[in-house]
Amino acid sequence: MTVAIRTIEPTQARAGDTWRWQRALPDSPAPTWTLSYTLFAASGIVSFQSTAAGTEHCIHLTPEITAGYAAGRYDWVAHVSDGTDRYQVGAGVIQILPDLNAAASYDGRSHARKVLDAIDALIERRSTAGDVDLVSVASGDKNIARSLPELLKLRDRYAAMVAQEERAAAVARGEALGAFGGQLVQVRFRA
């Protein structure tokens, strides 16, 4: 299978998958210069460097390497060095997604979706102790699990958060959303 090689850093990548991209840096070409990345997160620091692909810098991390990366949000910084000088050439954020093949269990729901599901379970009286704990922790009020008006108010807030997440995911997938059943309506005004 032929995969197109990216020319910019990814904004998300999955642990356990191959990561590959290539950067052209005319002011600091390979092999004279080496491109290095450092990723910073609460779970730790990840570092790797490029290999030369002509005058371009090639990043190629195998699944064996990325499998050891903890899922989470990382800030990254990129530097070039010729052994004497070092310059920053980029910075950003990458979301490392979990390796689903290695996960014993995985719940891909966002925090807002988990709380909304827990509230629905409480309202429908099919909740578990975990649902009560999740709603109580989210609200900071242990009595909220017993008050239906408060649960309904909290449900509305979390339903709005989940709807916003779903809209953002649809836009990220390239789906156009509009106010009329998901259809995009274009309007042109003339002067």
Side-chain angles (χ1 to χ4, degrees):
M1 175 164 115
T2 305
V3 177
I5 298 174
R6 299 175 59 94
T7 57
I8 60 170
E9 295 83 1
T11 56
Q12 63 178 221
R14 187 164 303 279
D17 283 357
T18 298
W19 296 7
R20 189 170 187 168
W21 65 90
Q22 199 159 306
R23 291 287 314 270
L25 300 170
D27 292 336
S28 46
T32 306
W33 294 82
T34 301
L35 176 62
S36 300
Y37 289 85
T38 306
L39 285 60
F40 304 90
S43 59
I45 296 175
V46 172
S47 296
F48 50 88
Q49 64 183 24
S50 68
T51 57
T55 58
E56 294 189 359
H57 302 274
C58 180
I59 299 296
H60 183 201
L61 302 176
T62 64
E64 294 78 22
I65 293 171
T66 66
Y69 297 166
R73 180 193 179 279
Y74 289 75
D75 293 300
W76 63 264
V77 64
H79 290 94
V80 289
S81 175
D82 66 356
T84 304
D85 295 319
R86 182 182 103 151
Y87 301 99
Q88 181 176 325
V89 293
V93 174
I94 184 170
Q95 181 74 30
I96 298 180
L97 305 171
D99 182 354
L100 298 181
N101 291 331
S105 64
Y106 174 72
D107 185 350
R109 297 177 298 165
S110 69
H111 173 73
R113 171 53 76 183
K114 288 176 188 176
V115 173
L116 180 60
D117 291 348
I119 292 168
D120 286 341
L122 285 169
I123 290 170
E124 295 171 10
R125 299 187 189 274
R126 57 176 174 77
S127 61
T128 64
D131 294 331
V132 174
D133 289 345
L134 187 59
V135 172
S136 296
V137 169
S139 69
D141 181 359
K142 295 287 183 183
N143 295 327
I144 200 165
R146 290 183 228 121
S147 166
L148 185 58
E150 286 295 321
L151 275 177
L152 292 172
K153 189 172 168 182
L154 192 60
R155 187 197 184 288
D156 288 345
R157 185 169 12 141
Y158 276 92
M161 287 182 212
V162 168
Q164 182 178 6
E165 290 173 349
E166 289 172 351
R167 282 190 302 274
V171 169
R173 291 189 304 268
E175 298 172 8
L177 297 178
F180 302 101
Q183 296 176 349
L184 181 62
V185 177
Q186 295 180 339
V187 177
R188 183 185 314 199
F189 296 96
R190 295 181 186 211

